[in-house]
Amino acid sequence: MRYGSTKKILITGGAGFLGSHLCERLLAQGHEILCVDNFFTGSRRNIAHLLENSRFEMMRHDVTFPLYVEVDEIYNLACPASPIHYQFDPVQTTKTSVIGAINMLGLAKRVKAKILQASTSEVYGDPQIHPQPESYWGNVNPIGYRSCYDEGKRCAETLFFDYHRQHHLSIKVVRIFNTYGPRMHPNDGRVVSNIVLQALRGENITLYGDGSQTRSFCYVDDLIEGFIRLMETGPEVTGPINIGNPGEFTIKQLAELVINITNSKSKLVYRPLPPDDPRQRQPEISMANEALGWQPKIELRQGLERTIAYFEKYLNEHA
């Protein structure tokens, strides 16, 4: 640690949806932030308001190449996280997860930094256990269209635990469930941004399958709180730990709630279900509750109202 309680913290993928909120929160705590992003899915818009802060530094860099910096902690968030983006260049997606993890773990080993890996509920695949506890090994197709992301993240977890066992590295692994909020990429194809934008534009709202598949939606502020609490735990807490909201909703319920909030005239239309799309997704969060004292606080309607306000402003600026 540098001086007092101030830490120099590296956040890869720091200009992304989650990364920008994490940068903001840690800056508010008084830390120095090195934000690294290659801007494949991240945006300068997300961090523009932070650039004048003397404790914030932005570096354009791809984590598939080594990085030589001096830091106290590392949050490894770099990787496209929506199907549209991670399927655009699936080989690069796997490289980002696997080689990126190797490079960040190597950096953490060299500078003796604590390191957190942003993993995903996608490691559970199309689950046969519901809700999904951390002990569940998953039901994943290793050769499908989503595998570049699912298996890349699974391999990254393997690397983290091997570095922990072999090199005694201080690691934290968090499995993120569906997260939403301001600064979501408008064209990422994710269900919340898709439905909100279609509703605001008065377009038909596209549901896949019959809309009965379920997701659990966690507001971004709650998720970031979970990240920081996990990073602040002692070496005995490694994870993996599920961070997500256990409130389960069908996609059709989500669409109807968005229509209600926006007073949209949009109609629901149905399309075939994409391959390997999970039927249900719900986190079992007793470990987060016990180890971190964490549970989500923002209800879906409240979080959607904030998210809709963000996208209304975005559409007005890009009209």
Side-chain angles (χ1 to χ4, degrees):
M1 201 172 290
R2 299 283 158 135
Y3 26 80
S5 59
T6 300
K7 291 175 280 195
K8 181 72 177 281
I9 301 175
L10 166 62
I11 301 173
T12 71
F17 163 45
L18 299 182
S20 62
H21 283 277
L22 182 60
C23 287
E24 197 173 64
R25 178 73 183 276
L26 290 171
L27 275 174
Q29 290 185 352
H31 300 299
E32 292 181 37
I33 304 302
L34 174 57
C35 169
V36 166
D37 208 295
N38 69 349
F39 295 106
F40 174 58
T41 57
S43 169
R44 291 187 184 277
R45 169 192 168 95
N46 291 339
I47 54 165
H49 62 299
L50 305 177
L51 293 172
E52 296 302 314
N53 192 314
S54 61
R55 289 180 285 106
F56 181 79
E57 181 183 354
M58 175 69 230
M59 179 188 294
R60 189 181 195 117
H61 181 82
D62 189 320
V63 295
T64 59
F65 297 94
L67 184 61
Y68 301 100
V69 293
E70 301 294 325
V71 293
D72 302 304
E73 291 180 352
I74 302 168
Y75 287 82
N76 187 36
L77 276 57
C79 189
S82 74
I84 284 178
H85 291 143
Y86 67 62
Q87 290 170 5
F88 175 76
D89 188 345
V91 172
Q92 186 63 27
T93 296
T94 303
K95 284 181 174 181
T96 300
S97 286
V98 178
I99 300 173
I102 290 169
N103 286 332
M104 291 306 109
L105 287 162
L107 172 61
K109 179 186 168 192
R110 182 177 68 81
V111 301
K112 298 180 172 56
K114 189 187 294 188
I115 181 168
L116 180 144
Q117 167 67 8
S119 190
T120 172
S121 61
E122 297 299 331
V123 300
Y124 299 122
D126 190 4
Q128 295 172 327
I129 292 177
H130 193 73
Q132 293 81 57
E134 291 87 349
S135 58
Y136 180 48
W137 289 356
N139 176 41
V140 180
N141 175 3
I143 58 169
Y145 288 103
R146 301 168 71 102
S147 305
C148 58
Y149 185 69
D150 303 359
E151 296 289 35
K153 289 289 192 179
R154 283 163 71 95
C155 185
E157 286 196 14
T158 302
L159 285 161
F160 266 69
F161 278 88
D162 283 337
Y163 265 78
H164 173 63
R165 287 183 287 255
Q166 189 173 337
H167 300 298
H168 310 292
L169 208 60
S170 181
I171 67 162
K172 311 289 176 184
V173 176
V174 55
R175 289 177 178 163
I176 302 168
F177 282 70
N178 290 64
T179 306
Y180 70 101
R183 298 187 209 135
M184 292 186 82
H185 197 294
N187 302 313
D188 66 3
R190 292 196 222 190
V191 64
V192 171
S193 49
N194 269 4
I195 289 174
V196 167
L197 284 169
Q198 287 173 333
L200 289 174
R201 289 168 174 153
E203 301 168 354
N204 288 335
I205 290 177
T206 309
L207 300 184
Y208 295 93
D210 60 4
S212 65
Q213 66 271 43
T214 68
R215 295 293 184 269
S216 304
F217 300 102
C218 185
Y219 189 68
V220 62
D221 289 359
D222 283 333
L223 184 90
I224 297 305
E225 175 69 22
F227 276 16
I228 293 171
R229 288 194 186 201
L230 178 55
M231 185 62 104
E232 289 174 349
T233 57
E236 72 285 353
V237 181
T238 59
I241 290 186
N242 291 337
I243 298 290
N245 193 321
E248 188 179 18
F249 296 86
T250 68
I251 303 303
K252 186 175 181 182
Q253 285 175 318
L254 173 71
E256 288 169 346
L257 182 54
V258 169
I259 288 171
N260 177 266
I261 295 170
T262 58
N263 294 313
S264 176
K265 300 290 190 279
S266 297
K267 306 295 183 194
L268 303 182
V269 296
Y270 297 87
R271 297 285 182 268
L273 205 60
D276 298 329
D277 192 60
R279 293 185 304 273
Q280 50 187 182
R281 183 77 84 226
Q282 182 188 21
E284 210 293 320
I285 64 165
S286 57
M287 188 182 291
N289 192 249
E290 291 161 15
L292 312 178
W294 179 89
Q295 59 185 19
K297 296 191 169 106
I298 308 293
E299 296 290 337
L300 182 61
R301 186 181 188 95
Q302 182 186 2
L304 282 175
E305 286 170 352
R306 296 179 189 178
T307 307
I308 288 164
Y310 168 80
F311 278 117
E312 281 180 323
K313 184 180 177 187
Y314 175 89
L315 287 175
N316 288 335
E317 289 173 358
H318 293 80

